[in-house]
Amino acid sequence: MVVVMDERATEAQIENVVARLVEMGMDVHRSTGVTRTVLGVVWQGRPDAGIIQLLDGVHEVLRISEPYKLAGRTFKPESTVVKVGDVRIGGDEAIVIAGPCSAENEKQVRTTAAAVRRAGAKVLRGGAFKPRSSPYSFQGLGEPGLQLLQDAAKAENLALVSEVMEIAQIPLIEKYCDMFQVGARNMQNFGLLRELGHARKPVLLKRGISATIEEWLLSAEYILSGGNTEVVLCERGIRTFETATRNTFDVSAIPVVKKLSHLPIVGDPSHGAGRRDMVAPMARAAVAAGADGLIIEVHCDPDRALSDGAQSMFPAQFDRLMAELRIIAPAIGRSICVEPTPRRGWGT
Ligand code: PEP
Ligand code: MN
């Protein structure tokens, strides 16, 4: 951080600012120019630039390094590969996670899981605890839903990710799934993030509805600083003034995150677009922009889905999309599910 003093700052004001910075535990390097004094500040943790800005004689406070550390490329220049079951996210292969928004019943989960595996998905998604805007909407099946998802994932030889909404659900999700999903609404649930920092399974951290990329990376920092280094970021669209789509899918966040952070990032064009006819173009864009994978809602009968039916793809649409992605990915030096994973059978 650099503190630029006012041209008319008195010596007493400069000394007062230096004393306050030292009191805050910072190392201060003073340099006196022809017109101004500039203070170079080396700090631990995150200084409150707002307080320093208000001290008498201060002209401007400039931050020159990121507020997050463990999530940044400065700290770890090489890209991180996260293992989800036997699947690696962040390597040469872009990974597709797919499945229903929510687990509803055995037939729906099994049929959808079989369809997404055949098309080339490597990870099954599905919610058993659903964060719904209305308390009257379907809230998920809870533990029986996790059981249905686990049975289907095992039978189809897929890894499994499901959303955790509260600290109390962590042991349950950990027991049934290979990865925790933290939803957009919980991106800044700091208590939950801290607990997940102590968990031993990877976390898919969705971007909050109105979160900046910096806030999102700081949320990842909560998990990383607890000792869990396995975090995958997920761009799922942000809320803007536009109403034509459910959210605005921020494709540019993908290269921005790739530059700032070593963590893998996947795109969620389903929540990004909110309508199934817009999902494929956004999915293609995300892969072309360098995403390490996608998470896509697919339902065997989307028009009867209990949640997010309008944005859930029909299996045949998903099949077509996967074929298109197999053309796009190699153009930017990636592969994408050349061979579907063999199924394992109806195991338990
Ligand atoms: C979901 O994945 O079904 C979901 C609720 O996503 P988000 O948290 O991005 O809204
Ligand atoms: Mn959903």
Side-chain angles (χ1 to χ4, degrees):
M1 187 171 73
V2 171
V3 180
V4 181
M5 299 301 296
D6 202 87
E7 279 178 39
R8 289 179 304 277
T10 63
E11 184 55 31
Q13 286 173 335
I14 298 170
E15 280 172 16
N16 178 53
V17 173
V18 172
R20 288 297 305 274
L21 291 167
V22 170
E23 201 182 298
M24 290 164 148
M26 306 182 194
D27 278 341
V28 184
H29 304 267
R30 177 174 171 167
S31 104
T32 309
V34 184
T35 54
R36 296 177 190 276
T37 292
V38 171
L39 307 173
V41 182
V42 181
W43 46 275
Q44 298 287 330
R46 191 173 189 186
D48 189 339
I51 290 179
I52 301 158
Q53 178 78 65
L54 290 175
L55 296 176
D56 287 342
V58 171
H59 173 69
E60 197 175 15
V61 178
L62 304 168
R63 226 181 52 201
I64 52 173
S65 60
E66 317 88 37
Y68 43 84
K69 191 167 138 190
L70 304 175
R73 271 216 195 262
T74 318
F75 171 74
K76 181 174 179 285
E78 69 282 6
S79 297
T80 292
V81 175
V82 171
K83 267 197 91 191
V84 181
D86 294 333
V87 179
R88 292 156 58 86
I89 303 184
D92 287 343
E93 182 181 352
I95 297 298
V96 178
I97 304 167
C101 177
S102 310
E104 298 169 12
N105 57 63
E106 183 173 356
K107 181 163 176 271
Q108 170 248 9
V109 173
R110 291 255 171 155
T111 314
T112 308
V116 301
R117 184 200 55 79
R118 269 197 309 274
K122 296 278 168 83
V123 183
L124 178 66
R125 63 145 291 149
F129 298 101
K130 296 303 301 178
R132 305 305 301 280
S133 299
S134 164
Y136 307 117
S137 302
F138 177 60
Q139 303 286 307
L141 297 179
E143 187 169 3
L146 290 173
Q147 186 69 64
L148 294 179
L149 288 162
Q150 189 190 54
D151 290 347
K154 280 190 175 168
E156 298 300 329
N157 207 3
L158 297 167
L160 178 63
V161 58
S162 196
E163 178 158 356
V164 59
M165 284 173 58
E166 315 171 358
I167 292 175
Q169 293 164 355
I170 291 178
L172 207 55
I173 305 284
E174 192 156 38
K175 177 173 154 204
Y176 287 97
C177 305
D178 300 292
M179 185 182 218
F180 296 99
Q181 175 175 323
V182 173
R185 292 156 190 82
N186 270 317
M187 188 205 83
Q188 288 190 315
N189 181 339
F190 301 119
L192 178 64
L193 299 178
R194 273 195 196 288
E195 272 316 298
L196 289 170
H198 303 128
R200 285 183 310 278
K201 288 206 171 149
V203 179
L204 181 68
L205 178 63
K206 290 197 157 196
R207 181 179 182 180
I209 283 166
S210 61
T212 64
I213 292 173
E214 185 172 294
E215 288 165 340
W216 187 17
L217 292 174
L218 280 166
S219 289
E221 190 83 9
Y222 268 87
I223 303 170
L224 298 171
S225 62
N228 187 348
T229 55
E230 309 273 285
V231 176
V232 175
L233 299 162
C234 175
E235 164 58 44
R236 48 78 73 206
I238 48 175
R239 186 160 287 177
T240 68
F241 52 82
E242 184 53 73
T243 53
T245 48
R246 182 178 178 188
N247 291 294
T248 298
F249 186 55
D250 184 8
V251 184
S252 62
I254 296 164
V256 172
V257 163
K258 284 268 151 219
K259 189 175 162 74
L260 297 176
S261 176
H262 53 88
L263 296 172
I265 176 168
V266 300
D268 174 350
S270 309
H271 292 86
R275 29 186 303 172
R276 77 174 74 101
D277 55 342
M278 304 285 169
V279 171
M282 291 299 96
R284 298 192 298 251
V287 168
D292 295 295
L294 295 167
I295 175 164
I296 298 184
E297 287 184 341
V298 180
H299 194 290
C300 54
D301 187 5
D303 293 334
R304 290 189 183 78
L306 297 182
S307 63
D308 285 349
Q311 68 192 35
S312 298
M313 291 183 123
F314 287 97
Q317 269 179 318
F318 179 64
D319 238 355
R320 238 180 349 263
L321 169 63
M322 289 300 291
E324 291 165 351
L325 296 176
R326 281 186 198 104
I327 298 169
I328 293 170
I332 55 153
R334 306 291 289 261
S335 63
I336 197 158
C337 189
V338 185
E339 281 289 318
T341 311
R343 99 185 266 286
R344 196 185 283 164
W346 297 106
T348 50

